[in-house]
Amino acid sequence: MRIRRFLRLLPVVPSIVLLMVFLLAPVVWSFYASFTDAALSGKGARDPQWVGVDNYARMAGDDSFPLAAWLTVVFVMASAVIGQSALGLLIALLMTRSRRVVSSWVGTVVVAAWVLPEIVAAFAAYAYFNRDGTLNQILGGVGIQGPDWLYSFPMVAIILANTWRGTAFSMLVYRAALADIPRDVTEAALMDGARGWQRLAFITLPLIRSSIATNLMLITLQTLAVFTLIWVMTAGGPANASTTLPVLAYQEAFKFGDIGYGTAVASVLIVLGMVFGAVYVQLLRDKRA
Amino acid sequence: MSQLRAPSATKRTTPGTGSRRRAKLGADIALALVGVCFVVPLLWLVLAAVDPQASYQAKVPETPSLDNFRAVLTPELLFRPLANSFLLSAGTALVNVLAAVLAAYPLSRYQSRFNKPFLYTVLFGTSLPVTAIMVPVYGLFVQLHLLDSMAATIFFMATTTLPMAIWMTKNFMDSVPLELEEAAWIDGASPLVALRTIVLPLMRQGLGVVSIFVFIQAWGNFFVPFILLLSTGKQPASVSIFSFFGQHGAIAYGQLAAFSILYSVPVLVLYALVSRGMGNSFALSGAMKG
């Protein structure tokens, strides 16, 4: 009986092997390497030495890490939590009230920015925020001399670009959630004389609360990992002004060849992902219970 | 639909039809404004592609032509990178669907104490920021001599999307009634035969959605092949696109835009294909719906 039950689970083995080799092993290795002076070339590449918490101590003393951590928080809060989620909800709400032609056209446009390959979206955003780019052309059209966005306000540019790129996901989630609200609930509220914002605050939002929570977790995780967009638009510059944690980890490991320090930064990011991931799993469990 | 409902709604809300219609118009205008903001960054891409004298400015070309498209339609610039992209994405989708179907079958068909912990651990795995594990993955690939290996890259890319694929596949499989297989079992078919001849054909559409979903993700992936594939002959379009930034900083803007469009078309078509009818469960990638 035992053996038969075990045999039944045999088909799961390929997946388990893949997940262990390509996801679990790198994570374990990351934590290990972050305590060594592993490097891309030289002595650290041939024979990495155990250096204890040196990398983490350096991280705390270094200027670039606290700055990158802070910029990551700003990036996630502004572009995911405020930008994508709030804008996505607004679009979804507007869609329930507007004409079908308008909502399907806008839906297509918003989704297009999301479905495009990330490198293409990044180039488009780069061209848009360029000194000679479309944004400054539009500003020039109304008589405003626009700044060099990518140089003077790199964070503003990448936050807006990531909002543009990612809002579609939140929009789709909220549209599905709003469509699930039973019609008689809103109609009853309407009969009781609830005004627009009252219905939103006391009926609509509480009803889609769990969708909002899971969506926030997911887009936080996605935004935490954004690399390509930033790398193409500003490469983390000028002078680290838009270097978030993934960009910092990449630069330390691959540009400066310091694998040990790079994995230490990456490990912090992994731990952050795990914390958000644990909350996310818990949210889904509660929903199902 | 909305037209049918409108009369009864106005009857109930006495404040009159005027304010309702005004609210509707307001929503239309606000939504259209948002749409314009979203479409403007894409204008440059389209305009520059047909402009032989393109720059970063979005302007209607003086002499529109397909020269940029003609210039990139060469084996070296376009076809080989696209073939590499196809190989990577199709390989990733294949490995993914195979592993996911095998894993989903016992999870969907048998009750076991092992199911829930496994599924939630897998779900937890989806939350690993992939950019964070690229440094350790690079280290791992160096030690195992797997750098610049197309096959190893495919397996890694398949693993990063596997958690999502397992959840989606299991959900699709759950909707195939168990009774159909029980009949086959009574006739003496083994579970794997039942899976192949009864379950898989019935969840064809779901399998299509999972593979297209994985394919689109792999097609657009830049960071993974950028780190793991070194030789130009193996690089997919997402990485080879950098050849348009000339050696000395001169950028072939028009060609870059034309290439971007040709490279994007396949995923736009595939998305349009699955979003129709599959709308929500695709967008929520299975995990959210549970």
Side-chain angles (χ1 to χ4, degrees), chain A residues 236-283:
Chain A
N240 288 343
S242 59
T243 299
T244 57
L245 288 176
V247 179
L248 183 67
Y250 169 81
Q251 281 177 339
E252 291 295 344
F254 296 111
K255 244 167 103 185
F256 309 127
D258 195 340
I259 299 276
Y261 190 61
T263 48
V265 175
S267 300
V268 171
L269 208 49
I270 291 172
V271 170
L272 266 178
M274 284 176 166
V275 171
F276 281 102
V279 179
Y280 169 55
V281 171
Q282 208 51 49
L283 277 173

Side-chain angles (χ1 to χ4, degrees), chain B residues 130-177:
Chain B
V130 174
T131 39
I133 58 169
M134 279 325 285
V135 184
V137 164
Y138 179 85
L140 187 79
F141 271 49
V142 169
Q143 293 201 330
L144 300 174
H145 300 285
L146 290 174
L147 265 194
D148 209 24
S149 152
M150 205 79 161
T153 308
I154 286 175
F155 277 106
F156 174 67
M157 292 203 341
T159 309
T160 57
T161 36
L162 189 56
M164 222 56 134
I166 291 177
W167 272 85
M168 288 174 82
T169 311
K170 183 191 169 285
N171 287 342
F172 284 122
M173 209 177 270
D174 284 348
S175 60
V176 176

Side-chain angles (χ1 to χ4, degrees), chain B residues 105 180-182 184-185 189-201:
Chain B
Y105 188 68
L180 295 169
E181 277 157 279
E182 280 166 350
W185 289 339
S190 75
L192 278 184
V193 171
L195 171 67
R196 210 184 58 229
T197 57
I198 293 164
V199 182
L200 290 186

Side-chain angles (χ1 to χ4, degrees), chain A residues 11 15 18 26 97-99 118 123 126 132 137 164 169 187 218 221 225 227-228 250 254 266 274 277 284 288, chain B residues 12 24 28 31 38 56-58 99 102 123-124 127 131-132 136 138 159 220 222-223 226 245 271 283-284 288 290:
Chain A
S15 290
L18 280 176
R97 284 152 189 246
S98 60
R99 250 169 279 264
E118 55 178 340
F123 281 135
Y126 178 78
D132 308 319
Q137 280 177 271
W164 168 70
F169 185 81
E187 280 186 358
L218 280 178
L221 285 163
F227 171 85
T228 309
Y250 169 81
F254 296 111
M274 284 176 166
L284 281 187
R288 216 159 296 185
Chain B
R12 242 174 280 163
K24 192 163 189 153
D28 281 344
L31 200 55
F38 270 79
Y56 276 130
Q57 292 202 318
L102 286 175
L123 187 64
F124 183 61
S127 54
T131 39
Y138 179 85
T159 309
F222 160 77
F223 198 40
F226 175 66
F245 291 92
Y271 180 81
L284 311 185
M288 295 255 326

Side-chain angles (χ1 to χ4, degrees), chain A residues 2 5 8-12 14-16 18-27 29-30 40 87 90-91 94-95 97-100 102-103 105-106 109-120 123-128 130 132-134 137-138 163-165 167-169 172-173 175-176 179-180 183 187 190-191 199 210-211 214-215 218 221 224-228 231-232 246 249-250 253-254 259 262-263 266-267 269-270 272-278 280-281 284-285 287-288, chain B residues 1 5 9 12-13 20 23-28 30-32 34-45 56-59 95 99-100 102-103 105-107 110-118 120 122-141 143-144 146 152 155-156 158-160 162-164 166-167 192 216 219-223 226-227 237-238 241-242 245 251 256 260-261 263-264 267-268 271 280 282-285 287-290:
Chain A
R2 261 243 158 105
R5 227 179 263 159
R8 281 176 168 180
L9 289 176
L10 209 58
V12 186
S15 290
I16 294 181
L18 280 176
L19 291 168
M20 297 245 267
V21 173
F22 290 111
L23 278 186
L24 188 62
V27 170
W29 193 83
S30 181
L40 271 186
L87 185 60
L90 178 73
I91 296 175
L94 285 173
M95 275 176 161
R97 284 152 189 246
S98 60
R99 250 169 279 264
R100 214 182 222 162
V102 183
S103 69
W105 176 76
V106 174
V109 170
V110 173
V111 166
W114 179 59
V115 181
L116 278 181
E118 55 178 340
I119 192 100
V120 173
F123 281 135
Y126 178 78
Y128 183 74
N130 199 276
D132 308 319
T134 318
Q137 280 177 271
I138 296 171
T163 305
W164 168 70
R165 165 125 174 104
T167 296
F169 185 81
L172 292 168
V173 170
R175 261 176 83 182
D180 281 346
R183 188 150 298 280
E187 280 186 358
L190 215 59
M191 286 185 54
R199 258 181 296 151
S210 74
S211 290
T214 32
N215 180 54
L218 280 178
L221 285 163
L224 211 52
V226 168
F227 171 85
T228 309
W231 196 71
V232 169
Y250 169 81
F254 296 111
I259 299 276
T263 48
S267 300
L269 208 49
I270 291 172
L272 266 178
M274 284 176 166
V275 171
F276 281 102
Y280 169 55
V281 171
L284 281 187
R285 282 189 123 147
K287 202 166 149 187
R288 216 159 296 185
Chain B
M1 269 265 282
R5 219 168 30 237
R12 242 174 280 163
T13 49
R20 285 226 106 195
K24 192 163 189 153
L25 186 68
D28 281 344
L31 200 55
V34 174
V36 168
C37 292
F38 270 79
V39 85
V40 165
L42 293 172
L43 282 183
W44 171 80
L45 212 58
Y56 276 130
Q57 292 202 318
K59 61 175 195 311
V95 172
L102 286 175
Y105 188 68
L107 294 173
Y110 308 123
Q111 297 299 323
S112 159
R113 266 177 307 154
F114 158 89
N115 287 7
K116 269 208 161 164
F118 178 77
Y120 281 110
V122 162
L123 187 64
F124 183 61
T126 58
S127 54
L128 273 182
V130 174
T131 39
I133 58 169
M134 279 325 285
V135 184
V137 164
Y138 179 85
L140 187 79
F141 271 49
Q143 293 201 330
L144 300 174
L146 290 174
F155 277 106
F156 174 67
T159 309
T160 57
L162 189 56
M164 222 56 134
I166 291 177
W167 272 85
L192 278 184
I216 290 178
W219 185 269
N221 199 324
F222 160 77
F223 198 40
F226 175 66
I227 300 286
S238 57
I241 207 164
F242 282 102
F245 291 92
I251 305 174
L256 175 72
S260 298
I261 288 177
Y263 162 53
S264 305
V267 288
L268 294 176
Y271 180 81
N280 297 335
F282 173 67
L284 311 185
S285 29
M288 295 255 326
K289 280 218 149 171

